[in-house]
Amino acid sequence: MEEIDGREMPKQEEEGMIITRKIEIACRNKDQYPLLQDYLKQCRLMANKAMTNYYILWQEMLENKPKNQTQKDYFLKKHGCSFQNTGYRYLGRCFEGMPSYLRRDVANRVYQDFRADLKNGLLKGERSLRNYRTGYLPLHNKDIQLCKEETSSDYLLRWRMGIEFVLLFGRDRSGNRIIADRLIEGTYRVSGSQIYKDWRKKKWFVLLCVEIPQQDNNLDETVVVGVDLGLSTPAVCALSNGMARAYIGSSNLLKRFEMQKKQRSRQREFIPATNKHGRQKVVKAIYAMKDKERRFVHSFNHVISKKIIQFALKHKAAVIRMEDLSGYNGDETVLRNWSYYELQSMIEYKAEKEKIRVEKIPACYTSRACSQCGFIAEENRKTQAQFECVKCGFKENADYNAALNIARGGVKIPEENQENFGENE
């Protein structure tokens, strides 16, 4: 990664992985809150100006760069610096009063976002130019210090700005206190982090990016875990080379339907009226129910993904296979009431931590194909829970049968029968 302001920006090493911990914080000196809020506003303005500047300069480069000239040479010749450093220099001219390290960290963050947006189709019109609506304070790992005060046992985050924050762990169900202890001991390291304010809750938080060294789990490349995600059972795991299985979780749909019913009821009660107090009361109830449902789903997915990883580690599996659900055109009610994408994302980053490789295979016919003889027929699925092959008579739990097909790499339709099957189930 390039340098900005003469300092190398943080980067992830090959032997470690980055996790993010959200921790509530409070200023020791309450008189410093107005200063923090001003910095939040200025950082948001800097981020939006830097994004616009990167976009304009990139467009100019595409129009004016000679064909035989590289992008790097173009910017060095025209601007005297790399493309990444143009953002820092631009912010230096527009925000002279801001500390240089804040300008540097904002420019680096925006540069990474801009490069990501380019890959996701920004110039093709598939993505609009990013707009930062809320402010954040970037924290370089060299600008902060985490320590524990002996007299009060408080965990303190000291920032280069001369501001001290107290870390508020609350009930600490996520084990953030243990993470903080390991950071202080030096077992873990802090990477790029940031501070932001939740304006609705009127609370301040730090997003600590923690680099964790990976451990060697002696995984077996021949062992693959197939994971079938469903509604009656959230996740069913099967091994590619054995009979071990795991049925993880129970259906959360009933509880979610109840939450959404209450949510719709509150929304019907929301009638724009002159009574400001009554309006605010209903709005507050609507947001409270949204937050409750979101926390429930997030916690539920964390539990499911953790148990899937534990199953894989128990059997020394080096690979986890799941269905590729991108572009899925199934029942909209099902999609709305089950966060497949979030669950799969959690499985992926937790697997990366344990050096387990995650593969996605086509979802076609995994629930209709017999895992023993390979015969595909809609009649094989007798009920939602029971699978019985009409050709060989194999009987098994339908979700486990699908998980076996996933573990073995998906369903391959014989060439002579491909014309009888569509692209999707």
Side-chain angles (χ1 to χ4, degrees):
M1 189 178 294
E2 297 184 55
E3 294 185 356
I4 294 186
D5 192 24
R7 295 176 61 178
E8 186 178 354
M9 301 308 297
K11 59 183 179 180
Q12 181 177 346
E13 298 179 356
E14 295 182 357
E15 295 301 323
M17 70 159 294
I18 302 295
I19 64 170
T20 303
R21 291 292 183 173
K22 177 183 174 182
I23 305 175
E24 185 181 351
I25 56 175
C27 273
R28 272 201 156 182
N29 184 357
K30 296 183 179 179
D31 295 335
Q32 293 177 327
Y33 278 120
L35 178 63
L36 280 175
Q37 296 193 31
D38 182 63
Y39 279 145
L40 276 181
K41 179 181 178 181
Q42 294 299 319
C43 285
R44 180 179 64 84
L45 293 174
M46 285 196 296
N48 284 321
K49 284 185 173 292
M51 178 62 73
T52 303
N53 179 71
Y54 279 131
Y55 182 74
I56 292 174
L57 293 183
W58 192 261
Q59 292 281 24
E60 290 180 354
M61 182 271 297
L62 294 177
E63 294 177 1
N64 303 321
K65 183 181 70 67
K67 292 184 179 180
N68 60 349
Q69 189 180 38
T70 64
Q71 295 174 4
K72 181 179 179 180
D73 291 339
Y74 170 83
F75 283 105
L76 286 175
K77 183 177 180 180
K78 185 173 179 61
H79 300 281
C81 63
S82 66
F83 175 62
Q84 182 175 3
N85 266 323
T86 58
Y88 173 72
R89 292 190 176 188
Y90 175 75
L91 294 182
R93 295 191 299 269
C94 298
F95 297 87
E96 296 181 358
M98 291 294 290
S100 61
Y101 45 88
L102 275 183
R103 299 199 304 264
R104 173 205 67 214
D105 292 341
V106 169
N108 180 71
R109 167 70 180 273
V110 174
Y111 172 78
Q112 300 298 331
D113 290 343
F114 180 76
R115 299 294 297 191
D117 290 345
L118 282 179
K119 294 180 180 179
N120 293 328
L122 175 63
L123 299 181
K124 298 178 182 179
E126 298 174 0
R127 188 181 184 91
S128 60
L129 190 65
R130 190 182 299 242
N131 179 33
Y132 298 90
R133 297 184 179 180
T134 57
Y136 65 92
L137 297 173
L139 302 177
H140 193 280
N141 58 335
K142 295 183 179 180
D143 296 332
I144 58 176
Q145 178 188 8
L146 189 65
C147 60
K148 185 176 181 181
E149 196 173 50
E150 295 182 0
T151 55
S152 62
S153 297
D154 287 338
Y155 289 81
L156 303 179
L157 180 68
R158 291 173 177 156
W159 191 23
R160 184 177 176 181
M161 303 292 293
I163 301 176
E164 280 189 349
F165 300 96
V166 179
L167 273 61
L168 307 176
F169 297 107
R171 287 179 288 182
D172 196 22
R173 293 178 176 176
S174 301
N176 289 331
R177 196 184 302 271
I178 297 175
I179 298 291
D181 286 332
R182 293 177 180 175
L183 286 171
I184 295 172
E185 295 169 0
T187 307
Y188 296 167
R189 293 196 309 172
V190 177
S191 184
S193 305
Q194 66 184 49
I195 293 173
Y196 77 97
K197 181 179 181 179
D198 187 325
W199 294 94
R200 188 160 52 85
K201 295 181 179 180
K202 298 181 180 180
K203 294 181 179 180
W204 292 79
F205 295 91
V206 60
L207 294 179
L208 273 181
C209 293
V210 182
E211 183 179 336
I212 300 178
Q214 292 183 328
Q215 300 177 352
D216 188 3
N217 295 311
N218 297 320
L219 303 178
D220 187 348
E221 285 289 338
T222 64
V223 182
V224 180
V225 172
V227 181
D228 179 63
L229 304 179
L231 297 175
S232 58
T233 304
V236 178
C237 299
L239 287 182
S240 59
N241 61 347
M243 296 298 294
R245 65 184 73 183
Y247 298 89
I248 301 175
S250 57
S251 178
N252 69 340
L253 279 182
L254 292 178
K255 187 169 183 178
R256 293 203 65 190
F257 279 136
E258 182 182 351
M259 290 181 180
Q260 290 171 0
K261 183 178 178 181
K262 292 180 180 179
Q263 175 75 0
R264 289 191 296 269
S265 175
R266 286 183 170 87
Q267 288 175 340
R268 285 194 296 267
E269 294 172 3
F270 177 69
I271 301 176
T274 56
N275 188 340
K276 185 177 179 181
H277 177 72
R279 177 188 176 98
Q280 290 180 342
K281 184 177 180 180
V282 176
V283 171
K284 185 177 180 181
I286 291 174
Y287 278 120
M289 183 55 64
K290 283 184 178 180
D291 286 344
K292 182 178 180 180
E293 183 186 358
R294 185 72 197 97
R295 289 195 303 271
F296 168 75
V297 175
H298 192 69
S299 299
F300 189 86
N301 285 339
H302 264 303
V303 172
I304 299 299
S305 57
K306 180 180 179 181
K307 290 183 178 180
I308 291 172
I309 300 301
Q310 289 175 342
F311 178 84
L313 290 174
K314 178 181 178 181
H315 297 281
K316 302 296 182 181
V319 181
I320 291 177
R321 286 188 181 138
M322 299 181 292
E323 293 177 318
D324 185 2
L325 299 175
S326 58
Y328 179 68
N329 296 322
D331 186 354
E332 293 298 329
T333 303
V334 171
L335 293 178
R336 185 175 66 248
N337 289 281
W338 183 240
S339 302
Y340 287 111
Y341 178 79
E342 182 185 65
L343 178 57
Q344 287 190 340
S345 298
M346 288 182 176
I347 294 171
E348 288 173 356
Y349 87 75
K350 291 178 182 180
E352 181 186 358
K353 177 182 175 182
E354 304 295 344
K355 291 187 176 181
I356 300 174
R357 190 168 69 256
V358 175
E359 298 176 354
K360 292 186 178 180
I361 57 103
C364 300
Y365 307 109
T366 54
S367 63
R368 298 182 187 179
C370 177
S371 59
Q372 300 302 307
C373 69
F375 181 72
I376 305 171
E378 187 175 354
E379 295 78 12
N380 286 347
R381 194 73 179 260
K382 298 299 182 183
T383 64
Q384 179 67 26
Q386 187 63 33
F387 181 92
E388 182 178 349
C389 181
V390 297
K391 183 178 181 180
C392 69
F394 173 71
K395 294 182 180 180
E396 187 52 88
N397 177 276
D399 293 330
Y400 174 69
N401 178 77
L404 273 177
N405 287 327
I406 296 170
R408 294 167 183 172
V411 177
K412 297 178 177 59
I413 303 173
E415 293 184 2
E416 61 271 15
N417 295 331
Q418 285 184 1
E419 59 182 12
N420 298 325
F421 296 93
E423 294 182 356
N424 298 310
E425 284 194 51

